[in-house]
Amino acid sequence: MSGLTIKDLEKLQKQLPDYPMELVDGEIIVMSPSGLESDEVAAEIVRQLGNWVRPRKLGRVAASSAGYVLPNAEEDVRAPDASFIRAERLRRTTSKYAQLVPDLMFEVKSENDTLPRLRQKIQEFLQLGTQVGVLVDPRTQTLEVYRPGVEGVEKAEILGNGDRLTVPELLPGWEMIVEEIWAPVFDED
């Protein structure tokens, strides 16, 4: 089914509340649950962002269930795995989909994702106003950092263990140590 609208998505979400969905180019995409590893990484990113942002009242941090109505021709509704919106852009929260793009967004690769599809999603957000998009790959333990005008993995800033992600244009002073976001391994005693 193509040519669907936000109203169609909302109606379907009420009928099937246990199925996360996105609206992309007039088609509803049912999102399967991710594996534990990718969700654990995304939760850690949200935790670290939230621990920095909330006490400083810098804005809002959301997880993968927060939908954004994108300001494109199709009015897509997309949901990054983690995101940040500056306070001055959304003074009060909403119970509905946010009618803007986040300033910072993360996509965490799960077993079912493909890198080209995630890179494309990040580029779409950047073209619509997101300032920084980060692709997180738990298998290679790398981050690909994209800013407007940076297309293609060969031009992305690549971070790995031993590196720190900083986003001074949005979160001055904040840093995320790359190796601290990966799912821990608990050794047997």
Side-chain angles (χ1 to χ4, degrees):
M1 298 169 95
S2 63
L4 299 174
T5 67
I6 294 172
K7 289 187 189 271
D8 296 317
L9 175 64
E10 290 170 339
K11 185 177 176 181
L12 195 55
Q13 280 285 210
K14 285 181 182 170
Q15 294 171 355
L16 302 166
D18 296 331
Y19 295 93
M21 300 174 200
E22 289 185 331
L23 179 63
V24 182
D25 296 327
E27 294 187 18
I28 293 178
I29 309 294
V30 177
M31 311 295 286
S32 65
S34 66
L36 180 61
E37 179 184 43
S38 59
D39 194 58
E40 194 173 353
V41 170
E44 180 60 20
I45 292 168
V46 168
R47 186 189 69 76
Q48 287 194 27
L49 270 173
N51 285 347
W52 178 265
V53 168
R54 192 164 199 157
R56 292 165 180 82
K57 299 180 180 179
L58 299 174
R60 302 184 185 288
V61 174
S64 63
S65 293
Y68 294 91
V69 177
L70 304 184
N72 59 5
E74 294 83 16
E75 288 195 316
D76 292 343
V77 178
R78 305 297 305 265
D81 292 318
S83 55
F84 164 73
I85 307 163
R86 288 176 293 135
E88 59 267 18
R89 293 190 58 229
L90 191 62
R91 296 263 179 221
R92 292 189 184 275
T93 196
T94 177
S95 61
K96 300 182 183 286
Y97 303 127
Q99 301 277 325
L100 48 71
V101 293
D103 294 293
L104 169 64
M105 55 92 69
F106 291 82
E107 283 297 319
V108 181
K109 185 183 183 310
S110 70
E111 191 93 3
N112 299 325
D113 289 325
T114 67
L115 290 171
R117 187 182 67 77
L118 294 176
R119 289 179 183 125
Q120 179 183 359
K121 183 176 181 180
I122 289 170
Q123 288 303 318
E124 289 170 7
F125 272 79
L126 290 171
Q127 290 166 2
L128 295 169
T130 293
Q131 292 185 39
V132 180
V134 182
L135 191 154
V136 180
D137 189 344
R139 295 212 201 354
T140 61
Q141 295 193 336
T142 57
L143 278 62
E144 297 175 15
V145 183
Y146 295 91
R147 288 176 167 81
V150 175
E151 292 185 34
V153 67
E154 65 281 348
K155 293 183 180 176
E157 177 185 5
I158 308 296
L159 302 175
N161 293 331
D163 294 325
R164 296 168 189 262
L165 171 65
T166 61
V167 189
E169 63 269 43
L170 296 172
L171 301 167
W174 176 77
E175 62 180 32
M176 185 175 74
I177 299 169
V178 173
E179 64 230 24
E180 290 183 0
I181 65 170
W182 311 126
V185 175
F186 302 112
D187 294 325
E188 293 182 39
D189 291 332

